[in-house]
Amino acid sequence: MSELKKWFELPIGCTNIEPGSSLNNITAGWRVFTPVIDEKKCTKCYLCWAFCPENAIKIADDGFPKTDYRYCKGCGICSNECPAKAITMIRQEV
Amino acid sequence: MAQRMALSTNYAIAYAVKNCDVDVIAAYPITPQTTVVERLSEFVANGELDAEYIPVESEHSALSAVIGASAAGARVFTATASQGLALMHEVLFMASGMRLPIVMSIANRTLSMPLNIHNDHQDMMSSRDCGWIQIYISSAQEAHDTVIQAYRLAERLDILLPVCVCYDGYVLSHTYEPVEVRDKQKVLEYTPRVERPHVLDPDKPITMGVMALPNYTYEFKYQVVDALKRVPKALEEVDAEFADKFGVKYGLYEEYMCSDADVIMIALGAIASTARLAIDNLRSKGFRIGLFRPRLYRPIPVELWKSVLRKAKMLAIVDRAIAFGGCGGPLFSDVATMFINDSERPLMINFIAGIGGRDVTVRDLEQMGLMAFKSLEEGLKEQCIYFGVRGVDYGL
Amino acid sequence: MIMDYSMSTVKDLPREEYFASGHRLCQGCPEAIIARLVTKVLGPNLIVVTPTGCLEVSTSVYPETAWKIPWIHVAFENAAAVASGVEAAIRALQRKGLKYKGRKIHVVAIAGDGGTADIGLQALSGALERGHDFVYICMDNEAYMNTGIQRSGATPLKAWTTTTPVGSKWRGKLQLKKDIPAIAAAHGIPYVAVASISHLKDFAYKVKKAAEIDGPAYIHVQAPCPTGWRFDSSKTIEVARLGVLTGMWVLYEIERGVFKVTVPVPQRRPVEDYLMLQGRFRHLTKEEIEEVQRYVDEQVEKVNKRAGYTAIGPVVRL
């Protein structure tokens, strides 16, 4: 309990003054299947990036989409929607 | 320039809101509040007030819209009564929880059923513990001045709470009195714009109205408790500044002949004005009785009240609302609670009166005073008296 | 930055992100896709109002927030009223020179179907009638998902929910879906559109257009819910696409009274392709599916009549 803030340490009026602080919530633990992108097949259409509900696919400097596995929940939309069938869902090793 | 005008309390409030230069008004018509916002819409329509007037489709939306506007940094106003306040009920807690300096006037009216447009305090009493600052006034001038004070108080950075200014429907709302409309320039000097720490701003994006789990909810709510604790002193300061600027001081309560009183009558709002005459009459017959009219009712400045009330032998508490199935009226319960741990305390008798606009006359109040004295001498037979209900006889 | 109308592929969507990872929406949640897209297209000069619901509870649990633009939640039924207040405040403060100087701030309410079609309909109607310059986006997942899949006015005919169970007397919802875009359009507002997350370019174009039009705009976007509709989380976009391809979810816009189908479907897929992907329709018999097909056929006919051509073609079985 010690890390929880005291009442006078909270921002006023039920606000959160740290925009985007959900990044502190790592959601990798939700994942059962993990998407793996085969860059040989990827055509860089970026549909996976556009559809990702987790905002967990980033376009890297080389132009390929990369999954941020800290936030990927393994929903599988990227794999299902990839026109080039470049994304495979692999069962996560525990 | 200050102007002396014959105004009803509703109009006196509208003039105060205009001179505070509010930015957004959202309101829905409800008797007996309606003429407040009618007059405000005229001010906006003819350019006397540069504001957005949102003619919402319900009171729920009225308060919701001013919450949105206040969250966006605007100075806002709304007004309501009775069922309108009841419809706002859930939103009241959101306004205080979000610490938004909203000012709302409430022309107190009873709640259905039966439907009745006349005055009692049932509406506000059913929403009294919602984190709002509640000030009960007893004249049109006081209403005008209190609205101006309300902005100063609500927007203080150590307070940031919504304020409602309560006044009896019809009895005050529609009664004309000579009112000094304060000079706009002086009003604006008295209520300068403040930069609040939490507003919707793309340059400093924040999330407002968060969800919290059991681990944080209590701490957010305690912030409201803490801010309310600061209110009595803040209102005294605000009142003193008002006196410096405008020469009138209201205090947190009004006392009349209390210093040597055996019985002190306690009443909110308009009844208190009538009660002065009853006090005078009873005093002339040798009864040592006084009157205590709370102005700031939420938060209750407990020690201040007790400093006046503890000297009496009997408190006669007049409630203009029913707490169905409770231990007495809401005001009675509050006063009783503040003395509960004192070994020496006054006896207390509760009169429920003036329900649904039933007249409470000087004679009625004299009778209540006499009943209080009788109970003091002969012992308390009834703690809570539903005064004046046909068919009920307490044998007093 | 607002993207260009001429966006040819999703690659042209703005790269800026204003909806952060780490939110607590379910796997495959369409609301996250919608929130991400809307904030992308309209951010950063954007204020979002969200009523109580999945999106709200999953993005704002203190001490975390997924929002990187100013965001406000007040209650369940009042998003449109709160947005009215925000919009009026911006208008007043800009006019008085007190705040928000020299730029357009978009005010967008993003609500679910319960907060729109049912409990929030009054506030929405009031705000549309008053003509506030704001965008109201309804993410329609066709039930109260946040409380656990109860029927709403937007639940379609025959769908199973926890309050429209399949029993000996009931077989899912007994009533038709409430046509909320039509209700919005009946207010005579300048822009109404129906969108789908399967057609992101079309959706982005509608969001941008809605925001740029002066006055109220309403966008109704389908939000296929893996949890409530009972399909695999990878199928969210596929279900949405089949909604469009079966003619059950027609993508159109009504701009100043002019109706236009923005994504014509020359050949329609049979409704069972859409229904059978979802557990909430698993109880349907062949006859019941045919009944749904007949209903959709009637609706499509009305759409085509209104469009003035066969925007949505006949059913072709593959």
Side-chain angles (χ1 to χ4, degrees), chain B residues 53-58 61 65, chain C residues 80-81 84-85 123 125-132 216:
Chain B
Y53 182 94
I54 313 178
V56 282
E57 80 299 327
S58 74
S61 285
Chain C
S84 300
S125 175
L128 297 182
E129 180 270 331
R130 291 190 300 270
H132 295 278

Side-chain angles (χ1 to χ4, degrees), chain B residues 38 57 65 90 110 138 155 181 200 244 268-269 297 355 360 385:
Chain B
E38 277 179 1
E57 80 299 327
E90 64 156 351
T110 194
S138 70
E155 292 173 2
V181 174
L200 297 166
D244 287 345
L268 292 163
Y297 180 55
I355 300 303
V360 181
I385 292 172

Side-chain angles (χ1 to χ4, degrees), chain B residues 21-24 49-52 54-58 60-62 64-75 87 90-91 94 98 100 193 195 199-213 215-216 220, chain C residues 44-48 56-63 65-78 81-82 84-93 95-96 98-100 103 105 122-124 126-127 129-130 132:
Chain B
D21 189 35
V22 301
D23 306 311
V24 175
L49 171 60
D50 184 3
E52 289 292 315
I54 313 178
V56 282
E57 80 299 327
S58 74
H60 194 285
S61 285
S64 301
V66 294
I67 283 178
S70 184
R75 181 174 280 182
L87 187 57
E90 64 156 351
V91 198
M94 296 157 183
M98 297 177 85
L100 297 171
R193 298 268 173 177
E195 283 285 318
V199 289
L200 297 166
D201 184 351
D203 293 333
K204 195 182 157 222
I206 62 167
T207 290
M208 299 185 78
V210 300
M211 178 181 176
L213 298 173
N215 62 352
Y216 275 116
F220 276 120
Chain C
N45 287 316
L46 165 69
I47 294 172
V48 170
E56 176 263 329
V57 303
S58 303
T59 59
S60 74
V61 183
Y62 193 82
T65 176
W67 302 91
K68 296 166 84 173
I69 42 90
W71 179 91
I72 181 170
H73 153 253
V74 182
F76 193 7
E77 64 277 57
N78 66 0
V82 174
S84 300
V86 173
E87 185 263 2
I90 293 170
R91 195 181 282 265
L93 294 171
R95 190 172 60 231
K96 291 174 159 184
L98 294 169
K99 202 170 159 56
Y100 306 115
R103 59 181 152 167
I105 312 275
Q122 174 180 315
L124 173 62
E129 180 270 331
R130 291 190 300 270
H132 295 278

Side-chain angles (χ1 to χ4, degrees), chain C residues 13-30:
Chain C
L13 282 171
R15 296 289 162 91
E16 292 84 356
E17 302 284 356
Y18 302 101
F19 186 74
S21 307
H23 60 74
R24 292 152 196 266
L25 289 157
C26 299
Q27 287 154 315
C29 179

Side-chain angles (χ1 to χ4, degrees), chain A residues 12-14, chain B residues 94-101 157-162 196 198 223-224 227 230:
Chain A
I12 190 171
C14 303
Chain B
M94 296 157 183
S96 57
M98 297 177 85
R99 305 291 299 279
L100 297 171
L157 294 182
D158 61 340
I159 302 296
L160 290 177
L161 282 170
R196 276 182 269 145
H198 63 312
Q223 289 185 337
V224 178
R230 288 192 289 271

Side-chain angles (χ1 to χ4, degrees), chain B residues 209-232:
Chain B
V210 300
M211 178 181 176
L213 298 173
N215 62 352
Y216 275 116
T217 300
Y218 198 2
E219 279 68 26
F220 276 120
K221 288 196 181 289
Y222 188 78
Q223 289 185 337
V224 178
V225 174
D226 177 69
L228 282 165
K229 284 182 188 169
R230 288 192 289 271
V231 168

